[in-house]
């Protein structure tokens, strides 16, 4: 096994998630003592800006769609954990509130961003729930983003 070019140099990283096309990597890094998501373009090594994740740490369980248009993760707001998806193309945030006081523990976004699987804690029990996002998010399919929008839009 060989290490891919453009390896990351930062020492403290955890929870890696790579986009389906292999061009983006999300990791959790220690930023001023807070677990914070970082998104990197693996083609050139640059860290990509994120609009909605600069506050409300700690972050955990990042997951990327196929082209990296969508980044889903779990964040903290006050004493509540919340799953949130950032659409890097439109700049919108999509919080996923869970009814009944359930807290997300881990998540996995489908490559096309049409579904999300959430591991939740509910009254001391662990459960996995699947949520349909097809009415909320546009599909992110292989090659689809480049055909309709310049890839430079997602590098900003």
């Amino acid at each position: 096994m060989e290490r891919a070019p453009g390896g990351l140099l930062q020492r403290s990283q955890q929870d890696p998630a790579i986009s389906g096309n292999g061009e983006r990597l999300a990791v959790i890094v220690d930023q001023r003592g807070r677990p914070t998501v970082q998104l990197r373009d693996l083609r050139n090594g640059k860290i990509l800006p994120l609009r909605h994740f600069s506050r409300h740490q700690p972050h955990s369980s990042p997951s990327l769609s196929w082209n990296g248009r969508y980044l889903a993760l779990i964040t903290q707001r006050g004493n509540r954990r919340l799953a949130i998806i950032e659409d890097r193309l439109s700049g919108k945030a999509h919080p996923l509130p869970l009814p009944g006081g359930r807290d997300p523990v881990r998540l996995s976004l489908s490559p096309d961003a049409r579904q999300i699987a959430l591991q939740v804690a509910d009254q001391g029990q662990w459960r996995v729930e699947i949520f349909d996002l097809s009415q909320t998010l546009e599909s992110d399919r292989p090659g689809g983003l480049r055909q309709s929008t310049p890839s430079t839009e997602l590098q900003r």
Side-chain angles (χ1 to χ4, degrees), residues 22-54:
E23 294 180 358
R24 308 278 187 273
L25 177 71
V27 293
I28 302 297
V29 298
D30 185 353
Q31 193 171 55
R32 294 184 294 265
R34 302 167 114 182
T36 304
V37 68
Q38 183 181 82
L39 183 63
R40 188 174 295 264
D41 185 322
L42 293 176
R43 296 169 300 172
N44 59 26
K46 291 183 180 176
I47 295 173
L48 302 173
L50 297 167
R51 293 181 176 124
H52 299 282
F53 299 128
S54 60

Side-chain angles (χ1 to χ4, degrees), residues 30-130:
D30 185 353
Q31 193 171 55
R32 294 184 294 265
R34 302 167 114 182
T36 304
V37 68
Q38 183 181 82
L39 183 63
R40 188 174 295 264
D41 185 322
L42 293 176
R43 296 169 300 172
N44 59 26
K46 291 183 180 176
I47 295 173
L48 302 173
L50 297 167
R51 293 181 176 124
H52 299 282
F53 299 128
S54 60
R55 320 186 316 244
H56 307 296
Q57 286 97 342
H59 297 151
S60 63
S61 193
S63 186
L64 289 163
S65 62
W66 183 265
N67 294 298
R69 173 179 178 174
Y70 299 105
L71 170 61
L73 62 78
I74 297 172
T75 188
Q76 188 92 19
R77 288 200 180 159
N79 60 357
R80 296 285 305 168
R81 292 170 59 84
L82 175 70
I84 189 165
I85 300 170
E86 179 172 310
D87 180 341
R88 297 182 45 249
L89 186 61
S90 73
K92 293 181 182 176
H94 301 277
L96 303 172
L98 295 174
R102 297 187 307 261
D103 284 324
V105 177
R106 292 221 171 270
L107 60 76
S108 179
L109 184 65
S110 67
D112 65 0
R114 305 302 269 175
Q115 294 181 315
I116 191 166
L118 288 169
Q119 177 186 357
V120 297
D122 185 14
Q123 299 177 359
Q125 299 293 313
W126 301 98
R127 186 171 60 242
V128 173
E129 298 180 16
I130 308 290

